[in-house]
């Protein structure tokens, strides 16, 4: 409820009770609740539409760049890479020797 504290809410309820009376207060509270619910629903829908509109070009650009990178990699290597192959043509996996696993010789 924003920056309203219990004291402010109590004052609003008392004023509403005095102005509307005990008979009309529940109906007015329902109407106010419905209006707030509709405003929140419209606001949420607007926010989602705006977010979708902003995200769509970014995602499409990322997909386009990914496709270009894959095509450039295929052209540079002359063929498609095998699954699990590194750029050196060695296979990754258990038993594959990594550069950091090999001991370095001292001069």
């Amino acid at each position: 409820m924003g920056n309203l504290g219990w004291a402010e809410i109590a004052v609003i309820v008392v004023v509403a009770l005095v102005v509307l009376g005990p008979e009309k207060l529940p109906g007015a509270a329902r109407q106010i609740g419905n209006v707030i619910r509709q405003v929140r629903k419209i606001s949420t829908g607007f926010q989602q539409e705006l977010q979708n509109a902003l995200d769509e070009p970014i995602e499409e650009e990322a997909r386009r760049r990914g496709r270009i990178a894959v095509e450039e990699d295929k052209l540079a290597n002359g063929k498609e890479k095998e699954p699990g192959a590194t750029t050196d043509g060695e296979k990754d996996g258990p038993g594959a020797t990594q550069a950091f696993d090999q001991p370095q010789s001292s001069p």
Side-chain angles (χ1 to χ4, degrees):
M1 297 213 15
N3 294 330
L4 293 178
W6 288 105
E8 291 89 357
I9 294 172
V11 170
I12 292 170
V13 169
V14 169
V15 169
L17 186 59
V18 170
V19 171
L20 296 175
E23 307 86 31
K24 294 182 182 179
L25 188 60
R30 270 189 231 101
Q31 286 180 332
I32 290 171
N34 287 336
V35 168
I36 291 172
R37 191 175 309 113
Q38 288 175 351
V39 167
R40 284 184 181 171
K41 185 177 177 182
I42 291 169
S43 174
T44 301
F46 177 74
Q47 288 175 355
Q48 288 175 344
E49 287 294 323
L50 184 61
Q51 189 65 40
N52 290 341
L54 292 175
D55 285 346
E56 191 172 297
I58 294 170
E59 291 173 0
E60 192 60 38
E61 177 66 15
R63 285 190 198 104
R64 185 184 69 77
R65 286 184 179 182
R67 285 190 297 267
I68 291 171
V70 167
E71 291 300 321
E72 288 174 352
D73 190 45
K74 286 180 185 178
L75 291 174
N77 291 331
K79 63 177 183 174
E80 288 189 39
K81 288 195 215 174
E82 296 179 27
T86 64
T87 56
D88 298 338
E90 296 176 358
K91 295 280 186 182
D92 286 338
T97 306
Q98 299 291 331
F100 55 85
D101 290 339
Q102 297 174 356
Q104 295 183 2
S105 61
S106 56

